[in-house]
Amino acid sequence: MPELPEVETVRRGLAPAMEGAAIETVEVRDRRLRWPIAGDFEKRLRGQTVEGLGRRAKYLLMDLSSGDVLVMHLGMSGSFRIQQPGHSGMRAKRADPESINANRDYGFRARGQQAASRNDERNDKPGHFYHDHGKLAAHDHVVFGLSNGATVIFNDPRRFGSMKIVPRARLDDEPLLRGIGPEPLGNAFDAALLAKACAGKATSLKAALLDQRVVAGLGNIYVCEALFRARLSPKRRASTIATRGGEPTGKARALADAIKAVLNDAIKAGGSSLRDHRRADGSLGDFQHNFLVYDREGRPCPGGCKGTVRRFTQNGRSTFWCPSCQK
DNA sequence: CGGCATACCTGCAAGC
DNA sequence: TGCTTGCAGGTATGCC
């Protein structure tokens, strides 16, 4: 699912619910993510206050009062949702967006109702919120119960996502993050930096932009979209947008501008919802309606050039483009 | 080292 | 209807 705009949307959705709250309970229901969740995971999180929620490339970084950072990746199918006290965790069907909040129940357990898990028992008394573990769905792998009553749930059908705890002081040495290129929405990113990263690269522009060492956070959708906006061919050698010294050409400027614009537009729309990506509050992102070429094979070129959007496989993944105006 | 294929995993749609 | 096939938003790993 998620590229930079979707991860940023998730971050913005989770931050208000998590920052300043303590993690009271951690339930790992399936440790088999991309790598097994470490054995001390729960112990290192329990009791910690969430000091901040950041993002680097497609990673979410949860800063904890212990000095640890929880480094999380959504893989292809990961998502978070928040259950607030007083709301059920039922998710609306896509065809029925109005029902998102329709299925309420009480955040206080009715008398005689069984606690759903041992984690609930400590809060299972009148006047205390319980963490609503009773509404968990398939592929809900990690459940955080917060001191403010909210429950934050990580769901990931394909289990390509990951969670790893790293001491903040060693974040710079973390292999998952080390070597990642510039943040495309950061101040440092510009045509010169992009040109330098592409200089000398024999591979295609498409492959170069997918390489997280060149630019952070782009994936298949936004690479296709940025290349279209810049009218550059995905097949072009990456080195051809820089001069020999790594100096930017006009093409590098166009591409850097296109990358920033498409990411900003997508974040503004709350990301793209292809299969079931949602914001953490359950609402859908809208940007998929603004795709110009991605998943639009056979349609007329949206640039009005009389060409047709085509699709071909490049490095094992679908590329969508307009061969008549992307050069 | 750079560039490329492969592997990991589930769900869904299309085709037979 | 039910089966098979291919494809999906990512990235670490291993091979040349």
Side-chain angles (χ1 to χ4, degrees), chain A residues 162-173:
Chain A
S162 61
M163 291 199 184
K164 180 178 183 181
I165 299 174
V166 178
R168 198 177 303 162
R170 273 186 259 147
L171 211 54
D172 288 345
D173 306 323

Side-chain angles (χ1 to χ4, degrees), chain A residues 97-215:
Chain A
E98 287 163 332
S99 72
I100 281 174
N101 290 317
N103 211 325
R104 293 176 169 224
D105 67 4
Y106 288 95
F108 297 94
R109 193 180 310 286
R111 195 170 359 171
Q113 188 176 350
Q114 287 258 301
S117 77
R118 178 169 301 166
N119 281 335
D120 286 349
E121 308 225 351
R122 72 178 63 183
N123 295 321
D124 189 24
K125 44 191 182 214
H128 284 71
F129 289 119
Y130 66 92
H131 296 300
D132 188 2
H133 293 196
K135 294 284 164 39
L136 295 181
H139 311 301
D140 283 346
H141 302 316
V142 183
V143 181
F144 302 102
L146 305 182
S147 56
N148 57 16
T151 301
V152 172
I153 299 162
F154 176 71
N155 181 288
D156 184 8
R158 291 174 75 178
R159 291 189 279 114
F160 288 172
S162 61
M163 291 199 184
K164 180 178 183 181
I165 299 174
V166 178
R168 198 177 303 162
R170 273 186 259 147
L171 211 54
D172 288 345
D173 306 323
E174 169 52 42
L176 292 175
L177 302 174
R178 195 177 37 196
I180 291 180
E183 283 292 324
L185 298 180
N187 293 330
F189 181 76
D190 61 6
L193 206 52
L194 180 61
K196 198 175 293 183
C198 288
K201 282 209 171 287
T203 194
S204 67
L205 210 40
K206 167 91 187 288
L209 294 180
L210 282 174
D211 184 340
Q212 300 297 295
R213 294 169 298 187
V214 172
V215 197

Side-chain angles (χ1 to χ4, degrees), chain A residues 42-312:
Chain A
E42 293 92 329
K43 187 175 57 177
R44 283 174 77 173
L45 295 180
R46 211 177 292 131
Q48 303 308 319
T49 296
V50 178
E51 294 186 337
L53 192 60
R55 179 189 58 72
R56 174 77 173 106
K58 301 171 195 169
Y59 289 92
L60 286 167
L61 306 175
M62 189 185 295
D63 266 299
L64 301 167
S65 49
S66 57
D68 279 335
V69 179
L70 173 54
V71 179
M72 302 180 282
H73 199 288
L74 302 175
M76 295 274 269
S77 60
S79 64
F80 280 95
R81 72 181 192 278
I82 302 169
Q83 289 177 188
Q84 295 294 351
H87 295 245
S88 88
M90 297 293 286
R91 277 164 94 179
K93 297 279 183 244
R94 210 187 313 198
D96 187 17
E98 287 163 332
S99 72
I100 281 174
N101 290 317
N103 211 325
R104 293 176 169 224
D105 67 4
Y106 288 95
F108 297 94
R109 193 180 310 286
R111 195 170 359 171
Q113 188 176 350
Q114 287 258 301
S117 77
R118 178 169 301 166
N119 281 335
D120 286 349
E121 308 225 351
R122 72 178 63 183
N123 295 321
D124 189 24
K125 44 191 182 214
H128 284 71
F129 289 119
Y130 66 92
H131 296 300
D132 188 2
H133 293 196
K135 294 284 164 39
L136 295 181
H139 311 301
D140 283 346
H141 302 316
V142 183
V143 181
F144 302 102
L146 305 182
S147 56
N148 57 16
T151 301
V152 172
I153 299 162
F154 176 71
N155 181 288
D156 184 8
R158 291 174 75 178
R159 291 189 279 114
F160 288 172
S162 61
M163 291 199 184
K164 180 178 183 181
I165 299 174
V166 178
R168 198 177 303 162
R170 273 186 259 147
L171 211 54
D172 288 345
D173 306 323
E174 169 52 42
L176 292 175
L177 302 174
R178 195 177 37 196
I180 291 180
E183 283 292 324
L185 298 180
N187 293 330
F189 181 76
D190 61 6
L193 206 52
L194 180 61
K196 198 175 293 183
C198 288
K201 282 209 171 287
T203 194
S204 67
L205 210 40
K206 167 91 187 288
L209 294 180
L210 282 174
D211 184 340
Q212 300 297 295
R213 294 169 298 187
V214 172
V215 197
L218 297 180
N220 205 35
I221 293 177
Y222 295 104
V223 166
C224 292
E225 293 295 309
L227 287 170
F228 176 76
R229 289 186 184 215
R231 298 297 193 275
L232 290 170
S233 167
K235 299 178 178 178
R236 168 186 283 274
R237 268 175 174 264
S239 59
T240 63
I241 66 161
T243 61
R244 202 167 330 184
E247 292 302 307
T249 60
K251 298 181 194 328
R253 284 182 217 292
L255 185 54
D257 288 348
I259 289 168
K260 291 187 212 189
V262 73
L263 296 178
N264 279 320
D265 289 351
I267 290 170
K268 208 171 296 176
S272 307
S273 303
L274 282 192
R275 275 146 203 89
D276 65 351
H277 166 71
R278 307 174 169 256
R279 301 161 159 111
D281 68 2
S283 63
L284 291 162
D286 278 337
F287 192 71
Q288 68 280 8
H289 304 303
N290 297 318
F291 292 164
L292 296 175
V293 289
Y294 184 83
D295 210 14
R296 296 180 72 83
E297 182 183 19
R299 302 196 183 226
C301 171
C305 82
K306 315 271 184 199
T308 302
V309 176
R310 301 294 183 193
R311 162 184 155 141
F312 71 105

